[in-house]
Amino acid sequence: MVSGVSSAAAGLVAKAREGDKHATARLLSVVENEEPGAAEALRELYPLTGKARVIGVTGPPGGGKSTLVNRLAGAYREQGDRVAVVAVDPSSPFSGGALLGDRIRMSERFLDDGLFIRSMASRGHSGGLARSTSRVVNVLDAIGYGVVLVETVGVGQEEVDVIRVVDTVVLVTVPGLGDDIQAIKAGVLEIADVLVVNKADRPGADETARDLAQMLTLGKMRTSWKPPIVRTVAATGENVPQLVDAIEKHRAWAAENGERDRRRRDAARSEVEELLRAALIRRLRDRVGDERVDRAVARVAERSIDPYAAVEELLKD
Amino acid sequence: MVSGVSSAAAGLVAKAREGDKHATARLLSVVENEEPGAAEALRELYPLTGKARVIGVTGPPGGGKSTLVNRLAGAYREQGDRVAVVAVDPSSPFSGGALLGDRIRMSERFLDDGLFIRSMASRGHSGGLARSTSRVVNVLDAIGYGVVLVETVGVGQEEVDVIRVVDTVVLVTVPGLGDDIQAIKAGVLEIADVLVVNKADRPGADETARDLAQMLTLGKMRTSWKPPIVRTVAATGENVPQLVDAIEKHRAWAAENGERDRRRRDAARSEVEELLRAALIRRLRDRVGDERVDRAVARVAERSIDPYAAVEELLKD
C-alpha cells in the first residue's frame, strides 16, 4: 500500500517534470492537502528546489494586482521563462469572486504550455495557507518553473505569512486611498521590497508616491536595500518593464547580501518547526490515546480544570 | 522569583476582580503576551469563566461595526451589565486607523466604571491573535464582565478564527456591496448566528436583505438555528433593541440545544492543543538542544536535506 502510494506519487512527479499540466495539478493537490504520497513527493523534489525566482505580489483589494500579475507573467514568458502563478485567496468576500474571474480571463489570455495557474483558497485555519503555499511553490520550483508569481489579496496577517515564502515582495497600491495608506505602514510595508503605485494615470498618483516615500524614510529599514517606487498602469502595460527591472535588481542585491539566504533559512525554519509540532502531537496522541486527550479537553470545556493543568496532566508521563 | 512572579500576578488578579481598570489592563497584557505569571493568573481565573455572554461582531470594513458595537455596549450597560469591548484588529490597512479612532470616540462616550475597552493588534503570526483573544476574553469573563463584545474587522481566516471564541456571531453588512456580497458566503456566513443589514436607511437595503436570505437558503445549515436578518441604523440606534433581542434568542437556543457547549468544547480543544504543541516543542528543544535544531534548519535551507528528513532526524532518539 505504502509502496503503491509512493510509486503513484513518483509517477505524478515524473509526469509533472515532463510538463504534464494535469499531473502537475494533481501533484499540487496531493502536496497541498497532504494526501498519501505527499511526503515522498516532497522528498524527491526538495533537492531540486531553490532555482526559481519566487516573486510575491500583494496589497489592498482594488489595486489591480491580478492585471499586474498577468503583465508580469507575460513579460517573463517573453523572456522564455516557464511561469507559474499561484493566486492565494484567504477567502475575503472582497477578493474571492473577482480573483477567480481574473484568473479565468488570464488563463484565456496566455493559454500556452509555459504558463501554469493555480488558485489556492484558505485552509480553514490560520497559518495553514502559508504552509501549503510554501509546499506548492517548492513543487513548482522543483518541476522547472523558472518564475513563480505568488499573488495574495488583502493585507492581513495571513497574507503577510504567505508572502514570506517569496524572494521579492511587490506591494501594489493605488492613488486615492486617502488616510488608509498611512495604515499600510502597520501592515506589509515592512516586508515590501518593491513598491508599486498602479493606476498611476489617475489623479493623486504623485501624493501616493510621495506618501510612500515618506513612510519609507520614517520606517526603520531592516537592511541596506531601499525599496524603489514604480508607477505602473497595468491595464496598458505602462512601466511594466521598469517593474521587472526593479524586481531583478532586488533579486541581485538579495543574492549578494545574504538576504535571500536569510529568508530561505527563515522559511525552512518555520517549515521544519511546523512539521515537528505535527509529528510531536501525533506521537503524543499515539502514546496517551485520543480518549485521554478528549477527556482532558472536555474537563477544560466544563471549567473543571484549566488548559495548563490539562497539558501538564497529558505530559505527566 | 517564581513565587514573586505568581504573587504579583495574584495581586493583579485581586485588584482586577475589584474593578481596578489599571490592574485589569496590566493583567490583560500579562496574559496576552504570556509574560511571567500568565499561567498562574489563568489558572486562578479559569474556574471563574463561562458566565459572560460573549458576542462577536464581524463583517467587511465600512459596515459601521464600531458604531453598532457602541450601541450594543450602551444597550447592555442600560440593562446593568458590566460590559467589556475587545476590538481586534489584524492590522489591515483598511481598519487600523479608523478602528482606533472609533475606540477613542467610544471611550469618551461611555466613560463609566462598568465599561472596559481593549484594543488588540495582530500577534505577528497567524493564529496568534485568535489564541490571545480567547485568553483575554476568559480573563474579562472571570473578573466579572457579564457581557464581552468582540469586534473584528475584515473577514479573512484570522477573523474567522478569532470569532470562534464567542457564543453568538453577529455578521454586519451594508447595502450596496454589489456582487461582493455573494463572496461573503465563502467567508463568514457559515459561522454567522445573526445577520445585520446596517445603514438600512440607505437605498438597496431590501436587495441586500433578500440576497442574504437567499444565501441562507442555499447554504447547508449546520444546525436547526435559522439566522435572523435584522436591519439597523447604528448611527441613530434604530432597531438596536431588536438586535439585542435576536442575540438573546440565539443565546437561549444555543444553551438549550447544546450548541454553546459544542463551541466551548471546540474552543477548549484548540486551546489545549495549542499549549500542547508549545510544550512539546519546548521539551524537544531542551532535549536535543537549539544547536541541533538550528543545524537541521540550515541544512534544509541549503537543500541538502528535506524538511521531513530533518524532522525524522531530530525525533530519532
Side-chain angles (χ1 to χ4, degrees):
Chain A
M1 184 57 217
V2 171
S3 70
V5 162
S6 33
S7 61
L12 280 179
V13 167
K15 282 211 194 71
R17 293 187 62 188
E18 289 157 11
D20 178 331
K21 285 191 178 183
H22 293 290
T24 303
R26 181 76 194 95
L27 176 61
L28 291 178
S29 300
V30 167
V31 166
E32 192 180 340
N33 308 319
E34 293 188 292
E35 295 169 21
E40 293 89 335
L42 285 167
R43 283 207 160 169
E44 185 177 344
L45 291 173
Y46 206 77
L48 306 171
T49 61
K51 295 191 294 303
R53 287 180 272 188
V54 186
I55 300 158
V57 179
T58 190
K65 284 183 301 299
S66 298
T67 316
L68 197 61
V69 166
N70 297 358
R71 292 288 182 183
L72 285 173
Y76 281 109
R77 284 295 296 135
E78 280 159 23
Q79 295 184 13
D81 291 298
R82 287 177 69 203
V83 177
V85 174
V86 180
V88 179
D89 172 14
S91 72
S92 152
F94 290 84
S95 62
L99 185 63
L100 184 59
D102 291 331
R103 290 281 82 79
I104 290 162
R105 279 193 293 283
M106 175 169 177
S107 48
E108 285 162 358
R109 232 180 93 197
F110 304 100
L111 208 55
D112 71 35
D113 284 353
L115 183 84
F116 185 87
I117 297 160
R118 180 78 172 187
S119 271
M120 294 180 58
S122 170
R123 312 301 304 153
H125 59 281
S126 281
L129 192 52
R131 295 193 296 276
S132 46
T133 303
S134 94
R135 289 197 297 268
V136 161
V137 167
N138 275 331
V139 169
L140 291 165
D141 175 354
I143 66 177
Y145 285 94
V147 174
V148 180
L149 294 165
V150 179
E151 173 188 351
T152 68
V153 177
V155 280
Q157 186 57 47
E158 182 134 44
E159 290 78 4
V160 172
D161 291 344
V162 165
I163 217 70
R164 283 192 206 287
V165 308
V166 309
D167 297 323
T168 299
V169 176
V170 178
L171 171 60
V172 181
T173 178
V174 283
L177 287 185
D179 294 347
D180 293 328
I181 200 169
Q182 293 300 336
I184 288 182
K185 212 177 136 199
V188 287
L189 191 66
E190 285 81 354
I191 61 161
D193 304 305
V194 176
L195 300 173
V196 171
V197 179
N198 192 31
K199 306 183 181 180
D201 51 347
R202 287 192 182 174
D206 295 345
E207 295 93 304
T208 304
R210 202 171 52 239
D211 291 350
L212 286 173
Q214 199 187 4
M215 286 184 206
L216 288 176
T217 58
L218 296 173
K220 31 132 207 46
M221 284 293 109
R222 230 180 47 257
T223 66
S224 66
W225 174 257
K226 194 180 167 319
I229 300 171
V230 184
R231 301 172 185 210
T232 60
V233 183
T236 64
E238 191 183 327
N239 283 0
V240 168
Q242 286 81 341
L243 174 56
V244 171
D245 188 55
I247 291 169
E248 293 310 310
K249 276 203 180 66
H250 174 264
R251 172 185 166 71
W253 170 88
E256 263 174 35
N257 295 264
E259 175 70 6
R260 190 191 62 195
D261 297 343
R262 194 190 60 73
R263 289 191 194 185
R264 290 183 173 183
R265 208 157 42 241
D266 292 349
R269 176 172 304 280
S270 42
E271 192 155 12
V272 168
E273 288 182 341
E274 179 50 39
L275 288 172
L276 265 180
R277 281 191 203 88
L280 287 167
I281 202 117
R282 227 180 295 111
R283 287 178 167 211
L284 179 83
R285 281 186 168 283
D286 294 346
R287 193 168 307 157
V288 308
D290 288 353
E291 310 69 26
R292 247 185 83 191
V293 176
D294 295 345
R295 260 203 314 284
V297 167
R299 289 174 57 210
V300 171
E302 70 210 12
R303 267 68 179 172
S304 59
I305 55 171
D306 67 273
Y308 292 85
V311 167
E312 254 179 31
E313 196 189 292
L314 288 170
L315 295 179
K316 209 163 51 262
D317 25 70
Chain B
M1 186 53 215
V2 171
S3 71
V5 163
S6 34
S7 61
L12 280 179
V13 169
K15 282 212 193 71
R17 293 187 62 188
E18 288 156 12
D20 178 330
K21 286 192 178 183
H22 294 289
T24 303
R26 181 78 195 94
L27 176 62
L28 290 178
S29 301
V30 168
V31 166
E32 194 180 340
N33 308 321
E34 294 188 291
E35 294 169 23
E40 293 89 333
L42 285 168
R43 284 207 158 167
E44 185 178 344
L45 292 172
Y46 205 79
L48 306 171
T49 59
K51 294 191 294 305
R53 287 180 274 188
V54 186
I55 301 158
V57 179
T58 190
K65 281 182 303 300
S66 299
T67 315
L68 198 61
V69 166
N70 297 358
R71 292 288 182 180
L72 285 173
Y76 281 109
R77 284 296 296 134
E78 281 158 22
Q79 296 183 15
D81 291 299
R82 288 178 69 203
V83 177
V85 174
V86 181
V88 180
D89 172 15
S91 73
S92 151
F94 291 85
S95 62
L99 186 63
L100 184 58
D102 292 331
R103 290 283 82 78
I104 290 161
R105 278 193 295 284
M106 175 168 178
S107 50
E108 286 161 356
R109 235 180 91 197
F110 306 98
L111 208 56
D112 71 32
D113 284 352
L115 183 84
F116 185 86
I117 297 160
R118 180 77 172 187
S119 273
M120 294 180 58
S122 171
R123 310 304 303 156
H125 59 281
S126 281
L129 192 52
R131 293 192 299 277
S132 47
T133 303
S134 95
R135 288 196 299 267
V136 162
V137 168
N138 276 331
V139 169
L140 291 165
D141 176 354
I143 65 177
Y145 285 95
V147 174
V148 181
L149 296 164
V150 179
E151 173 189 350
T152 67
V153 176
V155 281
Q157 185 57 46
E158 182 134 44
E159 292 77 4
V160 172
D161 292 345
V162 165
I163 217 68
R164 282 190 208 287
V165 308
V166 309
D167 298 322
T168 300
V169 176
V170 178
L171 172 60
V172 181
T173 177
V174 284
L177 288 184
D179 295 346
D180 292 329
I181 199 168
Q182 293 301 337
I184 289 183
K185 214 179 134 199
V188 287
L189 192 66
E190 284 82 356
I191 62 161
D193 304 306
V194 176
L195 301 173
V196 171
V197 179
N198 191 32
K199 305 183 180 178
D201 51 348
R202 286 193 182 171
D206 295 346
E207 294 94 305
T208 304
R210 203 172 50 241
D211 291 349
L212 286 173
Q214 199 190 2
M215 286 183 208
L216 288 174
T217 58
L218 296 175
K220 31 131 207 46
M221 285 292 108
R222 229 180 47 259
T223 66
S224 66
W225 174 256
K226 194 181 168 318
I229 300 171
V230 183
R231 301 174 185 209
T232 59
V233 184
T236 65
E238 192 184 327
N239 283 359
V240 169
Q242 286 81 338
L243 175 55
V244 171
D245 188 55
I247 291 168
E248 293 310 309
K249 276 204 183 64
H250 174 265
R251 173 185 167 71
W253 171 87
E256 263 174 33
N257 295 265
E259 175 70 6
R260 190 192 61 194
D261 297 343
R262 192 188 64 69
R263 288 191 195 183
R264 289 185 174 183
R265 207 156 44 241
D266 291 349
R269 176 172 303 281
S270 43
E271 193 155 10
V272 168
E273 288 183 342
E274 179 50 39
L275 288 172
L276 265 180
R277 281 192 203 88
L280 287 167
I281 202 117
R282 225 179 297 113
R283 287 179 169 212
L284 179 83
R285 281 187 168 284
D286 294 347
R287 192 168 306 156
V288 307
D290 288 354
E291 311 69 27
R292 246 185 83 191
V293 176
D294 295 346
R295 260 203 315 283
V297 166
R299 289 174 57 210
V300 171
E302 71 211 13
R303 267 68 178 172
S304 60
I305 55 171
D306 67 273
Y308 293 85
V311 167
E312 254 178 30
E313 194 190 293
L314 288 169
L315 296 178
K316 208 162 53 261
D317 26 70

